[in-house]
């Protein structure tokens, strides 16, 4: 008993002891939510006497599940078997192993990963962007939409095609006894929905259910939880509405906001004592999040006392920002800080490039968490390969990378044939295609592909001529000629990749501006040296997106890009309240010091743009100024909507129009701009 309660405050102890009925533990950042939930599990088993097999604790990552399991078991003595504590998907896997036969399927099914899924989709249809189809299929499954229903809903031709792929994809999985990641929850729910006796038996087995990070659950997960609570209401969820930052991937903040409506008679415990951050950090975090209207309401109370004031870095541009941050990190090291205690966070991935270069120049080792270094990203490697070929026609390695980007209908076998023929002729692939008669090429590839290859070579030569005269014009010619941004059209991360490409174009323009007489080779050599940075050895600081930082904590945190358009993102369907939650999450990662940085100008979309300081400085009480309050839009890019005259369409863009939002919508190939108030969601 003492082991369970020794580290708990009064509110945490009360939450642990309230074992019957529905309970919401509203846990602020750094308030000891994990300690509370594992203590509650230990209390149920050790003190109340609930058999471990009658409990079920669900979370979102294997890492969190392992940590929680280890901590809970350290509080228990003499238990013959551990309680089931796992991710939602692991629970679905275990459940299907025992029950999938009720769907007429064998339980020796194989779970496919994301790459397997994309390969299957590409085999079915290679015309539409595979990531787009994969994303839509995932959305269908999480909305419990069958292929037939998807086809009935798809009034736009492109989405009828996707619905058809979905149908063939499902048949393929069934024929080969495969399940994908989404099936683990969707099929589990389907079994419980279609078999009432099974639903009752499962609910009776798991008499006490606990859910971690409840603000990250989606609609399907809520339905599954309600099925598990069919015979009782012993459901305890732990979460923080102020840290709901995954709306873009389906998480629904209404699940935590309306918990008391889904599970009547819920008791609410607010964990507000923060054990992580010094008071000045909590003050700005509290001030910022209080501007959100859609929240249950709580205030972080510090337990670690006063500390250094939050630092604001004013910078003319991203290069000055990088120099200042590198200098401050050096001073922290001189004062005895360990590199692993330092983190640099950003809202938009493309901002990492200038910081990476600044750290490289200062000799500060870093690790990029949850992403590739700027020059290692696929879209940047593609651009570099194009430039290498344009400056050196004989670069076969780079040529092979770009020969089918964007798609030119060439498979690996065709490329291999051309490469072999070029080797036999002892020339480069470029020279072989250029000098070969069209009939010779037609013997290696399809007739239409041979012409495409000839055109490709001619285009490279044309752009190379432009490059000789003007690097500025070359950048425009490169994009206009090859439409490289279309490679990522329709992908989930299309905006991020295009932003990275624009950042690269901007970097190239900046290089030309600073070194007008330098050659393209010098530019390539400079970035090659940067991208070939020695592997980090020993300790290093961390760089990551704010999304990747959730759940982590660092003694010293730097947040860059606090400008309107970067943090917060504005327009294009962004949700200002979720942007504030991102700001709140980023602030509360800091334990001892917090530094917020903004620049008056940055390279953005290939051009240097002047930027306004983020409204979050004002809202966090860090500077005076007029408060910007904007009406939010419920619509996002990609949403399927209906207009009373034009019918169904897909949103391709969202922008401000006075006090309203203007939606750019594709109605079956016809594009129109319509005010949001005239549109309804499908």
């Amino acid at each position: 008993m003492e082991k369970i309660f020794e580290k708990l405050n009064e509110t945490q102890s009360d939450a642990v002891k309230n074992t019957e009925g529905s309970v919401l533990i509203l846990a602020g950042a750094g308030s000891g939510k994990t300690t509370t939930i594992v203590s509650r599990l230990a209390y149920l088993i050790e003190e109340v006497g609930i058999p471990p097999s009658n409990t079920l604790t669900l979370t979102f990552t294997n890492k969190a599940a392992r940590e929680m399991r280890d901590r809970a078991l350290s509080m228990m003595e003499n238990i013959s078997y551990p309680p089931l504590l796992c991710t939602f998907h692991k629970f679905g896997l275990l459940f299907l192993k025992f029950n999938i036969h009720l769907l007429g399927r064998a339980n020796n099914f194989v779970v496919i990963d994301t790459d397997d899924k994309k390969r299957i989709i590409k085999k079915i249809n290679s015309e539409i962007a595979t990531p787009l189809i994969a994303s839509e299929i995932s959305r269908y499954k999480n909305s419990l939409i069958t292929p037939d229903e998807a086809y009935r809903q798809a009034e736009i031709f492109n989405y009828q095609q996707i619905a058809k792929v979905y149908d063939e994809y499902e048949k393929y999985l069934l024929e080969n006894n495969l399940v994908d990641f989404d099936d683990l929850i969707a099929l589990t729910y389907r079994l419980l929905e279609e078999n009432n006796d099974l639903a009752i038996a499962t609910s009776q087995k798991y008499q006490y259910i606990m859910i971690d990070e409840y603000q990250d659950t989606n609609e399907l997960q809520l339905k599954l939880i309600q099925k598990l609570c069919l015979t009782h209401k012993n459901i305890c969820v732990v979460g923080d509405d102020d840290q709901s930052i995954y709306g873009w991937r389906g998480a629904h903040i209404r699940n935590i906001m309306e918990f008391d409506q889904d599970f009547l008679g819920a008791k609410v415990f607010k964990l507000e004592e923060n054990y992580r951050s010094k008071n000045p950090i909590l003050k700005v975090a509290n001030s910022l999040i209080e501007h959100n209207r859609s929240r249950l309401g709580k205030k972080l109370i510090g337990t670690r006392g006063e500390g250094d004031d939050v630092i604001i870095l004013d910078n003319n541009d991203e290069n000055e920002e990088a120099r200042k941050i590198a200098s401050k990190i050096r001073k922290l090291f001189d004062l005895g800080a360990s590199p692993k205690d330092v983190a640099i966070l950003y809202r938009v991935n493309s901002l990492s490039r200038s910081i990476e270069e600044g750290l490289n120049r200062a000799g500060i080792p870093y690790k990029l968490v949850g992403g590739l270094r700027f020059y290692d990203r696929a879209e940047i490697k593609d651009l570099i390969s194009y430039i290498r070929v344009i400056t050196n026609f004989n670069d076969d390695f780079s040529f092979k990378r770009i020969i089918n980007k964007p798609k030119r209908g060439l498979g690996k076998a065709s490329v291999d044939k051309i490469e072999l023929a070029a080797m036999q002729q002892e020339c480069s692939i470029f020279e072989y295609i250029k000098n070969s008669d069209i009939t010779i090429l037609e013997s290696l590839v399809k007739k239409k592909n041979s012409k495409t290859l000839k055109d490709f070579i001619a285009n490279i030569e044309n752009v190379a001529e432009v490059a000789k005269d003007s690097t500025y014009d070359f950048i425009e010619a490169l994009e206009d000629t090859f439409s490289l941004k279309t490679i990522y059209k329709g992908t989930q991360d299309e905006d991020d990749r295009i932003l990275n490409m624009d950042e690269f174009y901007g970097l190239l323009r900046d290089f030309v501006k600073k070194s007008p007489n330098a050659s393209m080779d010098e530019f390539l050599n400079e970035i090659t040296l940067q991208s070939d940075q020695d592997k980090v050895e020993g300790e290093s600081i961390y760089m990551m997106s704010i999304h990747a930082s959730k759940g982590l904590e660092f003694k010293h945190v730097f947040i860059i890009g606090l400008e309107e358009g970067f943090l917060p993102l504005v327009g294009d369907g962004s949700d200002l309240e979720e942007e504030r939650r991102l700001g709140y999450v980023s602030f509360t990662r800091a334990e001892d010091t917090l530094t917020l940085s903004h620049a008056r100008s940055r390279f953005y979309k290939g051009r240097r743009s002047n930027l306004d300081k983020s409204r979050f400085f004002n809202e966090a009480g860090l500077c005076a100024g007029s408060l910007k309050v904007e009406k939010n839009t419920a619509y996002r890019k990609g949403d399927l909507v209906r207009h009373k005259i034009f019918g169904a369409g897909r949103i391709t863009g969202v922008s401000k129009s006075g006090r309203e939002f203007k939606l750019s919508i594709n109605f079956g190939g016809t594009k129109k701009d319509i005010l949001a108030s005239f549109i309804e969601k499908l």
Side-chain angles (χ1 to χ4, degrees):
M1 189 83 160
E2 286 182 12
K3 191 182 267 189
I4 293 173
F5 289 98
E6 63 184 357
K7 294 182 180 178
L8 303 182
N9 62 37
E10 186 177 344
T11 308
Q12 290 171 326
S13 297
D14 289 344
V16 166
K17 291 174 183 175
N18 269 271
T19 59
E20 306 305 305
S22 54
V23 173
L24 167 60
I25 301 175
L26 200 60
S31 64
K33 78 171 178 63
T34 304
T35 299
T36 305
I37 194 170
V38 298
S39 298
R40 193 174 191 274
L41 177 59
Y43 180 77
L44 279 167
I45 294 168
E46 285 284 291
E47 300 301 325
V48 182
I50 305 302
S53 60
N54 290 141
T55 71
L56 173 63
T57 307
L58 298 175
T59 187
F60 281 86
T61 67
N62 291 317
K63 181 186 174 193
R66 281 193 302 272
E67 180 191 347
M68 291 167 64
R69 189 184 305 111
D70 291 344
R71 289 175 63 175
L73 291 175
S74 71
M75 299 180 189
M76 303 180 202
E77 297 175 2
N78 304 319
I79 61 167
S80 53
Y81 48 89
L84 183 54
L85 195 164
C86 60
T87 65
F88 274 92
H89 292 92
K90 179 65 179 292
F91 172 75
L93 174 62
L94 296 171
F95 185 85
L96 292 179
K97 284 291 183 184
F98 284 103
N99 299 293
I100 201 169
H101 65 277
L102 296 172
L103 295 175
R105 297 181 59 170
N107 70 350
N108 62 342
F109 59 83
V110 173
V111 182
I112 61 171
D113 62 19
T114 304
D115 287 338
D116 295 328
K117 177 180 179 179
K118 288 180 178 177
R119 274 198 291 271
I120 295 167
I121 290 170
K122 193 161 190 167
K123 201 178 293 183
I124 296 169
N125 185 308
S126 60
E127 299 301 315
I128 304 173
T130 301
L132 173 63
I133 301 175
S135 174
E136 285 298 300
I137 288 175
S138 183
R139 186 177 65 82
Y140 289 142
K141 291 193 176 190
N142 279 285
S143 301
L144 300 173
I145 295 172
T146 65
D148 286 344
E149 289 168 330
Y151 198 81
R152 283 197 296 273
Q153 289 181 13
E155 297 178 33
I156 302 173
F157 175 73
N158 204 37
Y159 284 84
Q160 288 177 337
Q161 288 281 70
I162 291 173
K164 186 179 178 183
V165 175
Y166 177 31
D167 186 33
E168 291 183 42
Y169 170 78
E170 285 293 88
K171 287 174 180 173
Y172 183 92
L173 296 191
L174 197 59
E175 288 167 5
N176 293 277
N177 202 22
L178 306 173
V179 300
D180 64 21
F181 208 53
D182 296 309
D183 286 330
L184 294 175
I185 296 177
L187 293 180
T188 294
Y189 175 76
R190 180 181 159 191
L191 280 164
L192 294 173
E193 173 70 9
E194 295 177 359
N195 299 274
N196 194 52
D197 289 345
L198 177 61
I200 290 171
T202 305
S203 179
Q204 288 174 340
K205 176 177 174 59
Y206 300 114
Q207 286 286 314
Y208 292 86
I209 296 171
M210 288 186 285
I211 314 292
D212 186 31
E213 302 285 11
Y214 190 67
Q215 77 280 347
D216 295 337
T217 54
N218 62 24
E219 184 180 357
L220 179 56
Q221 286 160 338
L222 170 60
K223 288 183 174 182
L224 175 60
I225 294 164
Q226 289 174 321
K227 283 293 180 186
L228 295 173
C229 293
L230 193 61
T231 63
H232 61 82
K233 296 301 175 195
N234 296 328
I235 169 78
C236 172
V237 303
V238 184
D240 183 2
D241 55 319
D242 291 333
Q243 294 189 71
S244 177
I245 59 173
Y246 294 117
W248 52 276
R249 71 179 189 197
H252 212 317
I253 193 173
R254 65 83 46 207
N255 289 359
I256 194 166
M257 296 291 295
E258 299 178 12
F259 177 79
D260 59 344
Q261 296 176 35
D262 296 327
F263 301 95
L264 300 177
K267 296 173 186 171
V268 180
F269 297 89
K270 293 184 181 181
L271 306 186
E272 298 178 299
E273 289 184 55
N274 176 282
Y275 299 98
R276 177 186 299 156
S277 308
K278 295 290 183 72
N279 284 343
I281 297 167
L282 298 181
K283 183 180 177 182
V284 298
N286 282 327
S287 296
L288 175 65
I289 203 64
E290 281 172 1
H291 285 82
N292 271 4
R293 300 183 186 93
S294 302
R295 62 189 298 256
L296 295 169
K298 63 183 175 320
K299 192 167 187 175
L300 296 177
I301 301 166
T303 62
R304 295 190 59 220
E306 295 303 319
D308 295 339
D309 287 338
V310 173
I311 297 169
I312 299 175
L313 292 184
D314 297 298
N315 308 287
N316 287 315
D317 58 25
E318 68 277 13
N319 297 314
E320 183 181 353
E321 177 181 63
R323 286 194 300 273
K324 285 184 179 178
I325 287 176
S327 174
K328 285 194 168 292
I329 291 172
R330 273 280 166 224
K331 287 178 183 175
L332 286 173
F333 291 170
D334 292 341
L335 293 170
S338 170
K340 64 179 173 45
D341 291 332
V342 180
I344 301 174
L345 311 181
Y346 36 81
R347 171 69 176 92
V348 177
N349 285 323
S350 62
L351 297 191
S352 75
R353 193 269 310 164
S354 57
I355 298 294
E356 287 179 62
E357 292 184 357
L359 295 175
N360 283 335
R361 284 192 293 268
I364 296 173
Y366 65 89
K367 287 178 184 171
L368 208 60
V369 177
L372 294 169
R373 290 182 310 177
F374 184 79
Y375 292 110
D376 289 337
R377 292 177 174 127
E379 61 274 21
I380 302 305
K381 281 178 172 280
D382 292 341
L383 283 172
I384 291 171
S385 294
Y386 261 94
I387 295 172
R388 281 180 173 153
V389 170
I390 286 162
T391 57
N392 176 12
F393 296 158
N394 298 322
D395 184 345
D396 280 356
F397 179 78
S398 298
F399 190 86
K400 284 193 293 181
R401 182 179 179 95
I402 65 172
I403 194 170
N404 208 33
K405 289 185 177 181
K407 287 190 184 344
R408 298 185 177 90
L410 293 161
K412 184 178 182 301
S414 297
V415 176
D416 288 345
K417 286 179 187 175
I418 295 168
E419 184 179 20
L420 180 61
M423 287 171 64
Q424 290 169 345
Q425 292 288 323
E426 296 183 345
C427 65
S428 68
I429 299 173
F430 181 98
E431 287 177 315
Y432 180 80
I433 297 171
K434 179 183 177 181
N435 297 326
S436 293
D437 187 86
I438 193 81
T439 55
I440 294 174
L441 284 178
E442 286 173 4
S443 68
L444 299 174
V445 298
K446 293 177 183 175
K447 187 174 182 178
K448 65 175 182 178
N449 292 341
S450 59
K451 183 181 185 310
T452 301
L453 284 171
K454 285 287 190 182
D455 291 343
F456 182 44
I457 295 298
N459 285 334
I460 290 173
E461 290 181 316
N462 291 338
V463 176
E465 284 299 314
V466 175
K468 287 178 184 176
D469 299 329
S470 166
T471 306
Y472 269 92
D473 291 341
F474 156 73
I475 295 168
E476 301 296 334
L478 179 65
E479 184 57 44
D480 291 345
T481 303
F482 298 108
S483 302
L484 301 183
K485 292 178 182 178
T486 63
I487 298 171
Y488 302 102
K489 192 166 183 61
T491 62
Q492 276 187 311
D493 54 357
E494 175 186 353
D495 292 342
D496 249 3
R497 289 184 185 272
I498 289 174
L499 209 57
N500 289 336
M501 294 171 81
D502 287 333
E503 172 77 5
F504 181 86
Y505 288 141
L507 176 66
L508 179 52
R509 286 191 181 93
D510 198 41
F511 176 83
V512 175
K513 186 177 179 182
K514 290 176 179 175
S515 311
N517 298 319
S519 68
M520 197 68 73
D521 283 339
E522 288 177 70
F523 172 74
L524 290 171
N525 289 337
E526 183 175 300
I527 62 175
T528 299
L529 288 174
Q530 290 170 350
S531 59
D532 285 343
Q533 177 197 16
D534 292 336
K535 288 184 179 177
V536 173
E537 293 181 6
E539 290 192 335
S540 56
I541 70 164
Y542 293 95
M543 289 179 60
M544 68 191 80
S545 69
I546 297 171
H547 283 101
S549 76
K550 187 168 173 289
L552 303 176
E553 54 190 41
F554 304 91
K555 289 187 185 303
H556 310 285
V557 170
F558 295 81
I559 304 170
I560 66 170
L562 272 111
E563 301 104 25
E564 292 291 300
F566 288 104
L567 183 61
L569 281 180
V570 288
D572 201 22
S574 62
D575 180 342
L576 185 55
E577 297 223 340
E578 184 156 315
E579 293 298 310
R580 278 198 196 94
R581 294 194 290 271
L582 277 162
Y584 173 84
V585 166
S586 66
F587 291 3
T588 55
R589 298 312 92 199
E591 298 176 4
D592 295 344
T593 69
L594 175 63
T595 302
L596 307 179
S597 176
H598 74 93
R600 294 183 184 87
S601 77
R602 288 185 191 276
F603 271 121
Y604 179 61
K605 294 189 174 179
R607 297 282 188 275
R608 181 158 293 284
S609 301
N610 293 323
L611 301 168
D612 293 328
K613 184 187 282 190
S614 170
R615 71 190 74 188
F616 289 172
F617 284 108
N618 176 36
E619 295 181 355
L622 291 166
C623 68
S626 59
L627 178 63
K628 294 186 181 182
V629 179
E630 289 187 4
K631 181 179 175 184
N632 291 330
T633 174
Y635 296 102
R636 293 173 180 269
K637 184 177 177 181
D639 283 350
L640 194 61
V641 294
R642 185 190 302 279
H643 184 270
K644 62 183 178 182
I645 295 174
F646 303 117
R650 180 74 66 176
I651 294 176
T652 59
V654 182
S655 58
K656 283 297 297 298
S657 178
R659 294 185 177 182
E660 261 270 32
F661 278 87
K662 181 174 69 177
L663 308 180
S664 298
I665 307 172
N666 184 340
F667 294 101
T670 303
K671 296 179 181 178
K672 292 190 176 292
D673 291 336
I674 309 276
L675 292 177
S677 55
F678 290 84
I679 295 296
E680 63 175 352
K681 265 190 181 178
L682 279 178

